[in-house]
Amino acid sequence: MRLLLSATLLVAFTATAHADPGFANLQPGPLAVGWKTVQQYDASRTYRGTIDAVTGKALQGERSRPIQTLVWYPARKGGEPVRYGDYVRTEATDEAFELTPAQVAAQAATARKEIEARLGAAPAAAMLAQRMWAVRDAAPAAGKYPVVIYAPGVGGPGHEPADLGEYLASHGYIVIASRNLGARTRMLVPDSEGVDTQMRDIQFLLSYARSLPQADMTQVAVAGWSWGGMTNVFAAERDSRIRALVSLDGTREPEQTRRIDPHRITVPWLYIQRRPSTVSELSKAGVETSFSLLNEVAYADVRQMVMYPMRHGDFSSAALRLAQPGYFQEYSRAEVEQAYHWTARYVLEFLNATLKNDAAGRAFLARAPIENGVPRHMASIQHAPARPGPVPNREGFAAALAQRGFGKAAELYAELHGRNKAFVLTDYEINNWGYALLRQAGNVQDAIAMFTFGTTLYPDNANLYDSLGEAQEYAGDTAAAVTSYRRSLALDPSNVNAATRVAKLAPVQASR
């Protein structure tokens, strides 16, 4: 991997002692902010084939998936902060690391013209010239800090969370993001492959975070907007390192989210959404409303917040910066930016409460928005605490067995299966679990209890009785072992192992 080299778009300036307020009047925290861009490849996946999927021409060179990685982090004070244009400039190399400085400059000039066409020359220049808080490649501050992996929306650039990333870094977080590339081309296709592609990008960035000396990998969250706010839920379902989840108007997509086992979402979840659509609007848009993952998740502490001035694109400051005057209708730009300000504040306090176990953060979340200073009628929040009791899945079952004892397996399984019919243990799984207890954990009594549970659940399974006999024999209970072996033979007369063990043990049993 190598650091991205690019000159600052604008003239240097003398840094002031204190950072100015940021976008949407965000206030910097006590820490200085560093920013670096790292170009690296995920060698476990290909991105380019032998033929360019756009031009149809033959391709040469690196075929691994490019992951241009942007990192905001707590830093030592000093240095010249970047301008917003420096973030925009990274788009030139987010999938092609081999560009020359001249090619990067040409693409940056094209991007500038597009922004000028949208906003006008003077507003575009002012936006690109805005002084940010981050200093490029600043020396990291001492200490360990929680990690936030950010997933952009469909086609979103790695700098999409620049304002939020700086804000969180100034308050003691490391924020890592990369462009939402498609599986084989620049634009991601919003389908199942698109979900899996971005989810694997999140996992790659989690792996990269381990290389950062500042990173506290025991405190990890994922955040994202739109499509990224949905795919990070897939990541949280599969990766137990993730301790908290933030979705900024995350795409609901029932066709996709039905693939998630809601019982595997057990980490605190903050979902901040735009103002709700009416029934007629949803119907007209063809939006399915019969399934909502938020309603199905019962074993996670879920806070669902509505920011009434905001529309979908407003949760991305990169998009909101480019909004034209005519975009703002019922609410003014000032009101929408104020809502963005409070969105970022709630994300910060949620992370403080969940990752840092901060009492002030927990108190902030417990209060009504208006009590925290949010303007009246701007926001509402609903809190659904996690359901108490064991989670009805394999991990929850194992944790409950460790507490209640493996002898309670049958009644506990009935309880959890009753809560989640999808939670089913096969005879094969139970058999392997029993042997793991016997051979890996060295706990013969728990192994006997697990095999006994298996024979209760599958009373006609000869293999489970044979395994139970082996565990009982290992424990020195010859009589019980012979009984189990004989039951196995009755169910499967061809069981050579059971027949052999009975022949050897029965005389011993008789002599006693």
Side-chain angles (χ1 to χ4, degrees):
M1 63 184 74
R2 53 193 174 91
L3 295 182
L4 176 69
L5 302 177
S6 65
T8 308
L9 284 176
L10 302 151
V11 296
F13 59 91
T14 302
T16 57
H18 300 285
D20 296 329
F23 178 77
N25 199 35
L26 291 174
Q27 301 299 312
L31 298 169
V33 178
W35 166 57
K36 66 179 179 178
T37 302
V38 181
Q39 292 178 334
Q40 51 189 333
Y41 292 96
D42 181 354
S44 70
R45 292 181 284 168
T46 57
Y47 179 68
R48 295 182 176 90
T50 56
I51 301 297
D52 190 302
V54 176
T55 66
K57 295 180 181 179
L59 283 173
Q60 302 295 328
E62 181 63 58
R63 304 202 186 283
S64 299
R65 182 171 180 80
I67 308 285
Q68 179 166 274
T69 307
L70 279 66
V71 186
W72 293 269
Y73 54 93
R76 297 177 187 173
K77 293 182 178 180
E80 296 179 351
V82 300
R83 305 296 179 107
Y84 188 73
D86 291 303
Y87 289 136
V88 176
R89 190 183 182 93
T90 63
E91 293 187 42
T93 54
D94 55 18
E95 68 166 346
F97 300 162
E98 67 278 4
L99 297 186
T100 66
Q103 290 173 317
V104 172
Q107 291 203 27
T110 300
R112 184 180 187 116
K113 289 179 181 178
E114 291 174 351
I115 295 172
E116 289 176 348
R118 187 176 183 87
L119 300 180
M127 183 188 75
L128 294 172
Q130 181 186 345
R131 183 175 62 186
M132 305 299 287
W133 299 341
V135 173
R136 189 194 300 275
D137 300 326
K144 292 279 192 178
Y145 301 93
V147 174
V148 180
I149 306 297
Y150 182 93
V154 170
H159 70 80
E160 180 183 288
D163 296 295
L164 181 63
E166 289 191 347
Y167 179 63
L168 294 177
S170 76
H171 287 275
Y173 292 89
I174 299 170
V175 180
I176 306 174
S178 65
R179 173 176 275 279
N180 185 350
L181 290 174
R184 289 169 291 279
T185 59
R186 187 180 184 86
M187 182 56 70
L188 179 138
V189 177
D191 58 11
S192 295
E193 183 181 45
V195 169
D196 294 337
T197 295
Q198 191 175 39
M199 183 186 64
R200 290 190 65 183
D201 285 350
I202 294 169
Q203 293 174 324
F204 177 86
L205 295 179
L206 274 169
S207 178
Y208 163 72
R210 290 179 59 88
S211 70
L212 301 176
Q214 280 184 306
D216 180 358
M217 295 304 294
T218 67
Q219 304 296 338
V220 173
V222 288
W225 167 59
S226 189
W227 187 263
M230 176 187 69
T231 54
N232 62 12
V233 186
F234 280 84
E237 177 199 23
R238 304 184 190 189
D239 196 321
S240 61
R241 292 173 296 182
I242 295 170
R243 299 281 304 278
L245 178 61
V246 176
S247 295
L248 302 177
D249 210 35
T251 306
R252 302 288 178 96
E253 295 286 349
E255 181 181 350
Q256 302 299 336
T257 55
R258 277 197 175 95
R259 297 165 52 198
I260 296 174
D261 179 356
H263 299 94
R264 293 189 63 83
I265 305 299
T266 58
V267 298
W269 187 4
L270 175 65
Y271 189 102
I272 309 181
Q273 69 171 73
R274 65 188 130 170
R275 58 184 178 271
S277 301
T278 65
V279 174
S280 59
E281 287 172 333
L282 292 171
S283 178
K284 186 176 180 179
V287 176
E288 181 186 345
T289 59
S290 62
F291 174 85
S292 170
L293 182 64
L294 280 163
N295 294 335
E296 297 297 321
V297 171
Y299 294 91
D301 190 85
V302 178
R303 284 180 165 84
Q304 186 171 356
M305 190 171 195
V306 179
M307 282 291 178
Y308 292 99
M310 301 183 79
R311 288 187 275 180
H312 183 61
D314 300 339
F315 289 90
S316 163
S317 64
L320 189 52
R321 284 173 174 273
L322 295 175
Q324 297 170 300
Y327 169 81
F328 301 96
Q329 299 173 7
E330 183 179 356
Y331 294 91
S332 67
R333 173 183 279 277
E335 290 173 315
V336 173
E337 288 192 6
Q338 190 178 35
Y340 181 90
H341 171 100
W342 283 106
T343 294
R345 178 67 185 281
Y346 266 86
V347 171
L348 172 64
E349 298 295 349
F350 172 77
L351 294 174
N352 286 344
T354 55
L355 296 187
K356 295 183 178 180
N357 195 28
D358 178 64
R362 294 196 302 272
F364 183 94
L365 295 178
R367 293 191 293 263
I370 193 171
E371 295 175 304
N372 288 324
V374 180
R376 192 178 298 276
H377 309 306
M378 176 171 282
S380 64
I381 192 166
Q382 293 181 332
H383 179 211
R387 177 174 174 171
V391 179
N393 57 25
R394 168 68 183 264
E395 291 81 3
F397 183 49
L401 288 175
Q403 290 182 343
R404 302 186 191 180
F406 280 76
K408 302 289 186 180
E411 62 184 69
L412 183 59
Y413 179 79
E415 174 190 336
L416 299 189
H417 178 68
R419 287 197 234 152
N420 176 19
K421 297 300 183 184
F423 172 48
V424 175
L425 287 174
T426 65
D427 59 323
Y428 181 79
E429 290 176 296
I430 295 172
N431 196 62
N432 284 347
W433 194 341
Y435 276 116
L437 287 166
L438 184 64
R439 295 169 179 169
Q440 296 175 24
N443 195 326
V444 63
Q445 294 305 320
D446 287 349
I448 290 172
M450 181 56 64
F451 288 130
T452 300
F453 159 61
T455 61
T456 301
L457 198 60
Y458 298 99
D460 296 328
N461 190 286
N463 188 50
L464 282 169
Y465 277 102
D466 185 76
S467 300
L468 175 59
E470 288 188 359
Q472 291 165 330
E473 182 180 353
Y474 185 85
D477 191 344
T478 303
V482 169
T483 299
S484 296
Y485 285 135
R486 283 174 171 164
R487 177 57 182 160
S488 179
L489 278 171
L491 293 168
D492 179 14
S494 65
N495 187 339
V496 175
N497 181 68
T500 301
R501 301 315 299 162
V502 167
K504 182 174 181 178
L505 296 176
V508 174
Q509 179 187 7
S511 66
R512 293 178 179 176

